Amino acid sequence: MNKNVAFHEEREFDLSIADLWTLLSDTNHLNEYIGLFPVQFSTYTYDNNVLHRKADAKALGLIKTAWIEHTFEWIKNSHYVIERTYTIGPVARALWTVRLERVSDNRTRLILNSDFTIRNFLGKIALKMIIIPQLRRIFPYSLSFKENRSTDNPRPQKKQAISINSERMTILIERLRTTFTNEQMIHSLIHMITTHNDDEVSHIKPLKWAHDRGYPKLETIELFLLATKAGLLNQQWNLMCPNCRVSKEQTTSLRQLNNSVHCDLCGVDYEVNFDRYVEMRFIINPSIRKTDEQLFCLNGPMNSPHVVAQTRIPSGESRLMNVKQWPQDIRLRVAKFNHSVQINRQDPEVVLDGLTYTNSGFNTDVTSTPDEIVIHNKAQQEIVVVLEETDWDSFALTAREVTSLQLFRDLFATEVLSPDQQIGVGEMTILFTDLKGSTKLYEAIGDALAYSDVKKHFDYLKKHIQTNHGTIIKTIGDSVMAGFYQDTSALKAALAIQANVFELNTTLSQPVSIKVGFYSGPVIAVNANDILDYFGRTVNMAARIQNQSNGDDLVLSEHGYQDLLKNLDSKQLLSTCSTDYFDASLQGIEGAFRLVRLKQN
């Protein structure tokens, strides 16, 4: 009996190569759809100098199979390769390739190639009756994607019995409608909850959900936060590895965050920060639908979409990698050992003919190459080399962004860190305001009226801060400390506050003027009296800069002003203001500090 069996089949689809790659590279969803069985995976380990995971499953829920799964190899929008060596089961080895070839801009050839080694006659039957028919289902899967794709059904779903607590869901939907009025978006959310498979609703990324359906980003975040408050969804904080960008831990509360996390694949321990490593995702509240998250694949390209190519290089061998077609900001990295080389096309002085890797790492940490690079593996073990984009995932809703929204703080005021934690947030813009002459105000009109006026002034500030996607962190006397994810948003809020202060004054006992200043930089998140507070030099600088305001103006650093000029929206806003450069001594800051005072014309 011939123990080697080959399979080849190809078809063409009226889809772009990028669309078909996006569909097929999510191998977890694909494997479930075509009928593969749920799998349990071990962590990555080296055995005989080869990096792999151990995996086991039960075919048809009865026949135990186990295998060694090597790391995937792929080139984005081209192909991926999977190799399994079976330790239990009628098949001894499987190697299959999914390859895409461009026919035209909107037509792509899909090619399936597989090589199997079987142990016995049962293996031959398994191939004919189960495995190859499963592989062939990739073709109708792709066709269904082409013919049935819609706003609410971005990709085909395997038929699944879904049980919904309709009575409770109706109550919660009505509760949501009292706070969110976009009925089309609510309908899309209901459709997802009631029709999509468990894998689609277990770790929902709201920004990806918005992109697939063409909805605005900020309105989508608002929908998901309000749906969580209404009880339809639960929020989930995911601790992401900074290299492979796979979620390593999940918690339901910021209080439960660990300060550090380990990634077995990347071989790295890393400190958690809000800027990139903590991401908010959502799951359906189990009171309306219970989900069973099963794993069908853990290693496919869609798990790390920032990786444009990944290859295995055995000890003593070399591989050629093409870098010409990828973006400027890319790097090479060796999985498990975390050694890396930055690709710098702007510096012709560091061009190398090839890279050599040994047990201690690469022979350089930066190189420039216009087209291709050869990697020589002189280490004692196989290495897995990834070529990856360094830009962060555009669909990640980071803790830095969501905690800078006023709506989040209003809805989830108790979402704070544990008292002993300090977590880096990355860059935020911190804005301070102060009510000019407030002491005289209290003396002139008395405590009761003055307090009423100060409260109206806080409501006024909150309106403009929230409208421009910021949040009030805390009030200090009659001052406000606010945070923004982007400096452009802080500028819009500050100018709106000063431009409309006359409206505020029509509601007050006496007219007031407001001092405003802001500063951008890294901050530290802490639990201060059970609120999520920010500390650090950036906060101190923002407070000192605000002290230089005269009222009815905005003060910021010269460096901050120059950064704003690089953004077209900010530049247009700044063109409506007069500028006054001046030097000031800031308390606790050595020497004079260059500032800019803005007043609207």
Side-chain angles (χ1 to χ4, degrees), residues 125 139 215 323 581:
I125 294 174
F139 294 120
Y215 291 137
V323 301
Y581 290 83

Side-chain angles (χ1 to χ4, degrees), residues 395-412:
F395 295 135
L397 179 57
T398 63
R400 175 170 78 105
E401 181 172 6
V402 74
T403 58
S404 71
L405 297 175
Q406 186 66 48
L407 181 63
F408 174 81
R409 293 203 175 229
D410 289 344
L411 295 177
F412 307 105

Side-chain angles (χ1 to χ4, degrees), residues 148-155 184 188 191 196 209-215:
N148 301 312
R149 183 169 40 164
S150 67
T151 298
D152 285 327
N153 295 290
R155 60 182 179 177
Q184 183 181 358
S188 292
H191 181 82
H196 284 206
W209 186 89
H211 174 268
D212 290 344
R213 292 158 179 79
Y215 291 137

Side-chain angles (χ1 to χ4, degrees), residues 487-488 491-492 495 518 554 556 558 560-579 581 596-601:
D487 55 357
T488 299
L491 175 65
K492 290 178 179 178
L495 295 181
F518 65 71
L554 163 64
L556 65 161
E558 180 184 29
Y561 178 76
Q562 294 300 328
D563 281 346
L564 285 166
L565 286 173
K566 297 172 185 176
N567 179 280
L568 290 178
D569 288 344
S570 299
K571 188 174 182 179
Q572 186 174 359
L573 287 170
L574 293 171
S575 69
T576 66
C577 302
S578 63
T579 57
Y581 290 83
V596 179
R597 188 186 313 280
L598 302 178
K599 293 198 75 170
Q600 289 172 302
N601 297 325

Side-chain angles (χ1 to χ4, degrees), residues 454-505:
V454 169
K455 186 177 183 307
K456 290 176 183 176
H457 140 267
F458 282 148
D459 292 341
Y460 169 80
L461 292 175
K462 181 178 179 180
K463 179 182 75 171
H464 289 291
I465 289 167
Q466 183 170 4
T467 298
N468 290 287
H469 318 307
T471 184
I472 291 181
I473 298 164
K474 61 185 176 183
T475 60
I476 311 157
D478 50 28
S479 300
V480 159
M481 173 182 167
F484 293 84
Y485 180 62
Q486 296 179 325
D487 55 357
T488 299
S489 299
L491 175 65
K492 290 178 179 178
L495 295 181
I497 288 168
Q498 299 296 28
N500 297 287
V501 74
F502 69 92
E503 294 180 2
L504 169 66
N505 283 332

Side-chain angles (χ1 to χ4, degrees), residues 342-358:
Q342 187 69 36
I343 306 296
N344 182 0
R345 294 194 180 95
Q346 306 304 318
D347 188 356
E349 298 299 320
V350 292
V351 175
L352 298 176
D353 292 334
L355 291 172
T356 299
Y357 185 84
T358 65

